Amino acid sequence: MANDGERIHFEDHVERPGVAKLRSRSEARSQRSRSWGTSQPPASDDEKEVGPIFEDEVPPTEDRDFKHRQVFHGWTLAWLAYQSTGVIYGDIGTSPLYVYSSTFSSPPSRDDLLGALSLIIWTLTLVVSVKYVLIVLRADDEGEGGTFAVYNLLSRYCNIAIHDPKSSNTVKFERYQSTELKPSNRSVRSWLETSPIARGLLKTLAVFGVSLIMADGVLTPAQSVLGAIQGLEVVKPDISTGTIIGVSCAILIVLFAVQPLGIHRIASVFAPIVIIWLAFNLSFGIYNLAMYDAGVLKAFSPYFAGLWFVRNKTEGWKNLGGILLAFTGVEALFAALVVWRLNPLLVFAVWLPFVTFDGLYLTAALTKVPDGAWFTLLLAVILASIFILWRYGKESQWSAEGKNRYRLDYLVVTDDDSKPYLNESFGGGELSTIKGLGIFFDKAGDLVPSVYEHFLQKFQAHPEIVVFLHMRALSVPHVSPDERFSVTGTSLGNCYRLMIRHGYNDHVVTPDLGRLVYQELRKAVIQAGARLRSSSLSYHHTLVAKDTASEGITETNGATSSSSDVVQSAAGPVTQAAVDAQIGRHLAALDAAFATQVVYMLGKEQLRITPSKNIFGRALLGTFLFIRENTRAKVASLKVPIDKLVEVGFVKEI
């Protein structure tokens, strides 16, 4: 066990612009060392510190921290395609069921039947095959699709989004240089980046697109199940309306009850059902064409689609609202926004036919608003309003969290006797030591966690061993245990940073988290000792090469020592025994702290609206805070021993 006052010095290399180092409590203290133990009496060779055993304070950002496209091959790809059949094609495959019943209120003429079928064929060809498969699917965000994904892709090339400090250093930003853009494109980008109206409009479009999909998703299951049960009237005409509604509700309850089992399990169950359904459709379609009327294949000619509008005029346009159901499984995106480096006229020329086509269907669908479609739009507006309000509140919260963040060597200083003190700006009190291992959950993974800063200010004490624990989620299902942990040092001797990189299917916060942290710290210290010993051997070989006459004996500062037992440190040559002793002191302190107790420190952030905020802003933020306070607390999802958990409260103004 190390003697009192003996501490290890870790260099603090991180520099942050905009964070000033203020003068400490006195002129003398400003000259004090921030390492623990530098003012001790001269140490023996075995007690010499060989320097920091970890090089960096903050774990460096690695390439795997950024989102990457997941690429699958072979049987994995085949299995995913099989599962997607049960989810995606279940919607696309059943949507055409409602087309004719929604388009025609009475039996159609043959010409109208061919015209509607021709519109379905060419709509699926142009919208699905051409626009989505050939164009939109190429505008993905590392393999992810949807309106939010396209917005994220746009924000990668254009500075239009505010990011969470927790993930801001892992967000790709690939903004083109101004010299790489044409003047027209550069002007558009500048307008998007500087105009609050433009940024708000893009955000609203993204949110409203998702809200429309969710509103449609609320109605689609009920409509599909109800339509299927109503089909029983064909074989049992005397079935009652109450029976149809009751059976439909029971099926919906079962479907939603199994959702927590996971989409992969549900997809695996429904995939064979959908495959059989599509196979029957194909078989019956071929049979009916052969037995009754193969002449409907003439609908592949766009002539009949054009003749539909010539013959039906305004009513033909209105009936597009029913034909729209043929491809409701393929939701709309606004992927045209991601091409900046292209000529705007070229973009306009390519997208004009699609915009025209979509516009016809959109305006036709709007004619159904008075007849009940208003409910879907109202639900989408309500959802979009909640999402936009939440985003506005979160951006205000992130802005507040990004202020007043400090380096550890600025927050804590030491005096001539190596006693730690808070910086004068934070009260300047001496810090007492609490026995045990303290794990402070670190949201951002850099500088000082807010929970640690406020813990020091409130209690003027810190644990024997301090760990800043930062969990970083990667865009992969699993991260192997060998590649999951990264340990670095700080400017305080017994304070470490531990980053846990995990996949979205990994569970790292377990009741045994404290032991896991202890084991990884111990392993990292032992590995650091091995590196120092390797450095000593390299130094030994250098000495032997320079002084072969001494037969392995070197003379340093008038004293002789075996070069095979020497390592170079910041203070000069140190024996390998000193390396072992320093590592031993680290391990002994770590073992003793873990054996005493493990305490988990979690921040409890309270937000308060600044008095200077206007009435409208206060109303919005007040609603956000109400929703935030009624969401599930972080502590509820932590699976650590509750009697070892401490929440440290603090207030930030937004």
Side-chain angles (χ1 to χ4, degrees):
M1 178 70 68
N3 296 328
D4 291 341
E6 292 181 341
R7 298 291 187 269
I8 310 301
H9 172 56
F10 294 95
E11 293 294 342
D12 191 348
H13 294 296
V14 176
E15 297 292 339
R16 296 288 176 181
V19 179
K21 290 188 176 182
L22 304 180
R23 188 181 300 273
S24 55
R25 99 167 20 197
S26 65
E27 191 66 30
R29 180 171 294 172
S30 66
Q31 303 298 324
R32 295 168 186 158
S33 169
R34 290 187 175 89
S35 62
W36 292 32
T38 54
S39 62
Q40 299 297 313
S44 64
D45 288 344
D46 289 354
E47 295 175 332
K48 285 185 178 180
E49 298 294 336
V50 300
I53 64 174
F54 298 109
E55 295 181 355
D56 299 320
E57 180 188 4
V58 178
T61 301
E62 301 179 3
D63 182 65
R64 60 176 174 157
D65 294 332
F66 297 97
K67 183 193 298 182
H68 291 284
R69 180 190 304 271
Q70 297 186 60
V71 181
F72 303 97
H73 303 281
W75 286 109
T76 303
L77 180 61
W79 179 250
L80 291 174
Y82 169 78
Q83 289 182 319
S84 68
T85 304
V87 179
I88 301 173
Y89 291 96
D91 189 5
I92 298 176
T94 56
S95 293
L97 288 176
Y98 318 108
V99 172
Y100 280 102
S101 62
S102 300
T103 304
F104 304 107
S105 58
S106 60
S109 66
R110 180 176 176 80
D111 289 339
D112 284 344
L113 186 147
L114 287 175
L117 182 58
S118 182
L119 282 170
I120 293 173
I121 292 173
W122 284 101
T123 297
L124 291 174
T125 300
L126 293 177
V127 175
V128 179
S129 301
V130 177
K131 188 176 77 171
Y132 285 97
V133 174
L134 299 182
I135 300 177
V136 173
L137 288 182
R138 299 178 182 274
D140 63 296
D141 182 25
E142 299 296 346
E144 294 185 2
T147 52
F148 278 166
V150 176
Y151 181 79
N152 287 336
L153 182 62
L154 178 62
S155 65
R156 186 190 305 175
Y157 296 92
C158 190
N159 187 20
I160 59 173
I162 299 176
H163 298 284
D164 185 353
K166 181 179 180 180
S167 58
S168 59
N169 58 342
T170 60
V171 175
K172 286 185 178 179
F173 195 60
E174 301 173 345
R175 189 174 186 271
Y176 290 114
Q177 297 293 328
S178 297
T179 55
E180 299 179 292
L181 298 176
K182 297 179 180 179
S184 57
N185 301 74
R186 189 164 57 246
S187 299
V188 172
R189 187 181 69 178
S190 176
W191 175 68
L192 289 176
E193 292 181 338
T194 58
S195 171
I197 296 177
R199 297 173 67 168
L201 179 61
L202 287 175
K203 193 179 303 179
T204 302
L205 285 174
V207 170
F208 190 64
V210 173
S211 301
L212 284 172
I213 296 173
M214 295 182 66
D216 176 71
V218 171
L219 301 177
T220 297
Q223 183 184 19
S224 299
V225 173
L226 184 61
I229 302 303
Q230 283 177 331
L232 296 176
E233 292 179 335
V234 176
V235 295
K236 189 174 177 55
D238 60 339
I239 188 172
S240 66
T241 302
T243 301
I244 292 175
I245 295 176
V247 173
S248 299
C249 291
I251 293 176
L252 288 171
I253 291 173
V254 172
L255 288 176
F256 282 99
V258 300
Q259 294 296 317
L261 297 178
I263 190 65
H264 62 292
R265 293 186 177 92
I266 298 174
S268 300
V269 171
F270 278 90
I273 299 175
V274 175
I275 290 175
I276 293 173
W277 159 257
L278 295 176
F280 272 115
N281 278 348
L282 176 63
S283 302
F284 291 154
I286 295 174
Y287 174 80
N288 288 329
L289 286 173
M291 293 297 296
Y292 298 103
D293 188 3
V296 295
L297 294 177
K298 292 187 296 184
F300 277 93
S301 170
Y303 168 79
F304 293 95
L307 192 61
W308 162 279
F309 291 107
V310 173
R311 185 174 57 255
N312 295 306
K313 298 181 175 59
T314 303
E315 287 301 318
W317 162 69
K318 290 181 178 180
N319 287 336
L320 290 178
I323 296 174
L324 177 67
L325 294 172
F327 55 97
T328 54
V330 187
E331 281 73 25
L333 302 176
F334 53 99
L337 294 175
V338 301
V339 285
W340 289 104
R341 297 185 70 185
L342 299 179
N343 191 305
L345 294 178
L346 176 61
V347 175
F348 178 77
V350 171
W351 280 96
L352 180 60
F354 298 110
V355 171
T356 303
F357 210 69
D358 290 342
L360 286 173
Y361 278 104
L362 176 61
T363 52
L366 290 177
T367 62
K368 295 182 177 293
V369 170
D371 298 326
W374 60 268
F375 178 78
T376 304
L377 292 178
L378 177 62
L379 183 58
V381 170
I382 294 174
L383 291 173
S385 301
I386 295 174
F387 294 154
I388 293 174
L389 171 65
W390 182 260
R391 180 71 183 192
Y392 172 70
K394 293 300 290 186
E395 289 182 354
S396 301
Q397 175 184 339
W398 295 339
S399 177
E401 291 175 347
K403 299 176 181 177
N404 301 324
R405 302 190 63 227
Y406 308 99
R407 289 163 47 103
L408 184 58
D409 63 350
Y410 168 68
L411 180 66
V412 179
V413 296
T414 57
D415 64 6
D416 295 331
D417 297 323
S418 295
K419 295 180 180 178
Y421 287 82
L422 275 176
N423 189 297
E424 186 178 278
S425 302
F426 301 94
E430 181 180 351
L431 298 177
S432 59
T433 300
I434 304 173
K435 292 187 177 182
L437 172 64
I439 300 176
F440 293 82
F441 286 91
D442 185 4
K443 179 179 180 180
D446 61 353
L447 301 180
V448 175
S450 296
V451 58
Y452 180 69
E453 172 193 337
H454 290 278
F455 183 88
L456 295 185
Q457 292 186 64
K458 289 176 172 61
F459 299 102
Q460 293 195 351
H462 62 170
E464 286 179 303
I465 301 293
V466 176
V467 181
F468 298 155
L469 177 62
H470 173 62
M471 293 179 292
R472 178 166 294 175
L474 306 185
S475 56
V476 294
H478 299 284
V479 177
S480 65
D482 295 339
E483 300 177 344
R484 188 175 294 176
F485 306 97
S486 177
V487 178
T488 56
T490 66
S491 60
L492 295 182
N494 286 337
C495 180
Y496 306 86
R497 290 187 184 273
L498 173 61
M499 177 184 291
I500 303 180
R501 293 179 169 91
H502 62 92
Y504 47 79
N505 283 338
D506 292 327
H507 300 282
V508 294
V509 180
T510 63
D512 207 27
L513 178 62
R515 179 173 295 277
L516 178 66
V517 170
Y518 160 71
Q519 291 173 344
E520 291 303 321
L521 290 180
R522 210 175 194 283
K523 184 189 302 182
V525 171
I526 293 174
Q527 291 174 348
R531 287 193 299 269
L532 289 176
R533 295 185 190 95
S534 176
S535 299
S536 73
L537 292 177
S538 299
Y539 183 71
H540 158 62
H541 293 312
T542 302
L543 291 179
V544 172
K546 289 184 177 180
D547 192 0
T548 56
S550 64
E551 297 183 355
I553 304 298
T554 61
E555 185 170 326
T556 306
N557 295 329
T560 61
S561 63
S562 172
S563 62
S564 63
D565 196 32
V566 176
V567 62
Q568 184 74 3
S569 73
V574 181
T575 64
Q576 273 217 14
V579 176
D580 296 335
Q582 177 172 335
I583 298 301
R585 289 192 293 271
H586 268 280
L587 295 177
L590 184 59
D591 293 342
F594 176 73
T596 302
Q597 66 172 340
V598 177
V599 181
Y600 304 93
M601 309 290 183
L602 185 68
K604 178 64 175 178
E605 182 182 66
Q606 297 290 334
L607 299 178
R608 183 172 58 194
I609 304 174
T610 57
S612 59
K613 202 71 175 177
N614 58 53
I615 297 178
F616 181 69
R618 291 180 65 86
L620 291 178
L621 291 178
T623 307
F624 163 73
L625 293 181
F626 172 79
I627 299 175
R628 181 177 181 268
E629 291 300 321
N630 286 276
T631 56
R632 190 182 186 191
K634 290 183 294 184
V635 67
S637 60
L638 291 179
K639 298 180 180 179
V640 297
I642 195 68
D643 58 326
K644 298 294 184 182
L645 182 64
V646 176
E647 280 193 295
V648 180
F650 53 92
V651 178
K652 286 186 178 295
E653 290 190 337
I654 59 175

